């Protein structure tokens, strides 16, 4: 056999070590309190502080900026393992690492990176990433928030909605229009923080699932942003955001795989315990078929997700594969959680069993970071070279 193997589906020692570390933390510190935080809808500050200490809030950031210096393969495995214990906390990890921190790190000047990245990477504050607006969701090119240059400052006005960490995050990366005549190419990115007057979070959403994740609106009321807080050049914000979303979709795919796996784990346990007609549930072929389909879908989603992460770490274009992974993994996760509730019968509908929360949490995954329909548009555009 040749030494230059081109396919390798085995996790390296390092990846296995990271998986084990995250799994231990998730099992011991997250799973036992996941339902409690879901019910109270409080942001789990202590858990995020510990995630920061473990280096899991600066995953993609080099060590010179106090990050962990890891890649997307590690990132995917970390998000997957946290999602197995609580998808809502995994959502926070994904938004903080993959969107806000990553955007500032990838496109920001040295000065801005020095100012914000070490604080974000160590979890001293959470980061928010603001693209969505009340009238600009899937059609982000319709952004209305404006940034007008006056002397050494951009003056920001407008609002964002549905922003993860909108209230609990002190630092945000937001997109605003600097030149309306240029359409999408007149949208720019800014790194801002809540010491700037007129920038505040508001209207915490009361959600179906992901309830301990802080989802809120952001308001910009004549915020004076020093012009060196522009990220990259004026007009580059939209294209930067698309690249950030490509990577972000890997983490939503991983989150989906972890959530679906949690649904399968719970179903395997329950069908081994529950007796009906004098047999354990897993002895019925009708139930076995459901378990088999869930396991097959999860494995396929995991392979797509890991492939997308692997390609990202190799510096390849991932627009197509990341959209495929996000679409497939989120759709199978929704189905897996629904089957898990069905398998649990009436017990699946009550909060004593974990599948009730999974069923509510999972639906966000076909919506956030581009809906399933948007992923299909991205995939088709790539196939048709449009
Ligand atoms: C819990 C949560 C957290 C979030 N976190 C963030 C965040 O941190 N930062 C951020 O910027 N945003 C965030 N979002 C916003 C999220 O990305 C948007 O909700 C999503 O992109 C969809 O936009 P919309 O809700 O405006 O729906 P719309 O764009 O209004 O879409 C409504 C429906 O129409 C469909 N649709 C729209 N256009 C087309 C088309 N051309 N063809 C076919 N179908 C179409 C959509 O697929 C969807 O089914 C979050 C949302 C939630 C719920």
């Amino acid at each position: 056999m040749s030494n230059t193997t081109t396919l390798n589906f085995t996790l390296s020692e390092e990846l296995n070590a990271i998986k084990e570390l995250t799994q231990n933390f998730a099992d011991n510190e997250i799973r036992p309190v996941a339902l409690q935080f879901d019910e109270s809808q409080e942001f789990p500050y202590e858990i995020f502080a510990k995630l920061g200490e473990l280096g899991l809030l600066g995953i993609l950031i080099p060590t010179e900026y106090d990050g962990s210096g890891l890649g997307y393969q590690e990132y995917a495995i970390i998000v997957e393992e946290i999602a197995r214990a609580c998808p809502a906390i995994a959502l926070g990890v994904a938004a903080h690492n993959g969107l806000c921190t990553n955007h500032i790190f990838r496109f920001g000047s040295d000065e801005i990176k020095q100012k914000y990245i070490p604080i974000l990477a160590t979890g001293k504050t959470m980061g928010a990433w603001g693209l969505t607006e009340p009238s600009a969701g899937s059609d982000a090119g319709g952004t209305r928030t404006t940034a007008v240059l006056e002397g050494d400052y951009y003056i920001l006005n407008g609002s964002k909605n549905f922003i993860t960490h909108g209230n609990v995050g002190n630092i945000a990366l937001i997109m605003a229009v600097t030149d309306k005549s240029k359409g999408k190419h007149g949208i720019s990115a800014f790194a801002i923080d809540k010491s700037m007057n007129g920038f505040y979070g508001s209207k915490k959403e009361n959600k179906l699932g992901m309830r301990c994740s802080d989802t809120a609106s952001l308001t910009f009321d004549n915020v004076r942003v020093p012009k060196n807080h522009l990220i990259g050049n004026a007009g580059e914000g939209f294209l930067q955001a698309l690249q950030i979303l490509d990577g972000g979709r890997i983490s939503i795919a991983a989150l989906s795989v972890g959530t679906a796996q949690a649904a399968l784990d719970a179903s395997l346990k329950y069908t081994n315990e529950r007796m009906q007609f004098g047999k354990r549930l897993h002895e019925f072929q009708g139930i076995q078929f459901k378990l088999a389909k869930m396991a097959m879908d999860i494995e396929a989603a995991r392979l797509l997700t890991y492939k997308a992460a692997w390609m990202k770490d190799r510096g390849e274009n991932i627009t197509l594969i990341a959209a495929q992974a996000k679409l497939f993994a989120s759709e199978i996760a929704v189905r897996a959680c629904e089957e898990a509730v069905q398998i649990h019968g009436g017990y699946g509908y009550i909060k004593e069993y974990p599948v009730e929360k999974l069923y509510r949490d999972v639906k966000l995954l076909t919506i956030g970071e581009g809906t399933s329909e948007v992923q299909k548009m991205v995939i088709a555009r790539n196939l048709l070279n449009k």
Side-chain angles (χ1 to χ4, degrees), residues 91 95 99 129-134 136-139 161-164 207 210 215 364 367-374 377:
L91 179 66
L99 299 181
W129 189 80
L131 178 64
T132 306
E133 297 185 2
S138 301
D139 181 15
N161 70 338
F162 298 153
I163 305 304
T164 304
K207 307 190 294 291
M210 303 289 197
T215 312
L364 186 265
I367 297 170
E369 297 201 27
T371 62
S372 290
E373 291 74 19
V374 165
M377 284 157 62

Side-chain angles (χ1 to χ4, degrees), residues 142-201:
T143 296
R144 288 189 183 172
T145 295
T146 54
V148 177
L149 188 59
E150 282 183 14
D152 287 340
Y153 293 85
Y154 279 95
I155 312 299
L156 259 65
N157 278 292
S159 66
K160 301 281 170 185
N161 70 338
F162 298 153
I163 305 304
T164 304
H165 307 147
N167 279 324
V168 302
N170 283 328
I171 297 170
L173 186 296
I174 67 118
M175 264 55 70
V177 177
T178 44
D179 185 346
K180 198 171 175 215
S181 69
K182 292 190 175 153
K184 288 175 190 170
H185 300 291
I187 296 174
S188 305
F190 296 89
I192 61 177
D193 66 70
K194 288 193 179 149
S195 72
M196 297 173 182
N197 284 339
F199 169 39
Y200 49 90

Side-chain angles (χ1 to χ4, degrees), residues 250-358:
I250 295 175
S251 64
I252 300 298
L255 215 165
S256 305
V257 171
T259 306
Q261 185 68 53
L264 177 60
D265 294 345
S267 301
L268 288 170
K269 181 167 182 284
Y270 187 74
T271 56
N272 183 41
E273 290 163 358
R274 176 73 171 165
M275 304 285 294
Q276 286 294 285
F277 299 96
K279 289 182 174 176
R280 295 180 195 282
L281 281 186
H282 71 199
E283 290 177 66
F284 298 113
Q285 196 179 52
I287 297 287
Q288 290 174 3
F289 282 4
K290 288 181 195 291
L291 297 171
K293 170 96 170 79
M294 286 160 82
M296 175 187 72
D297 284 349
I298 293 167
E299 192 57 19
R302 185 176 283 122
L303 284 173
L304 259 180
T305 305
Y306 287 4
K307 183 178 176 193
W310 175 82
M311 284 174 65
K312 176 79 180 151
D313 285 340
R314 287 161 58 95
E316 296 181 29
N317 184 324
I318 56 151
T319 302
L320 175 61
I321 186 97
Q324 289 172 330
K326 197 271 186 187
L327 173 63
F328 184 77
S330 62
E331 296 275 337
I332 70 100
V334 168
R335 282 203 301 275
C337 292
E338 195 199 346
E339 280 293 40
V341 171
Q342 191 67 21
I343 285 169
H344 282 67
Y347 298 92
Y349 204 66
I350 60 172
K351 291 182 186 291
E352 273 163 68
Y353 288 83
V355 295
E356 182 271 346
K357 176 175 178 297
L358 294 174

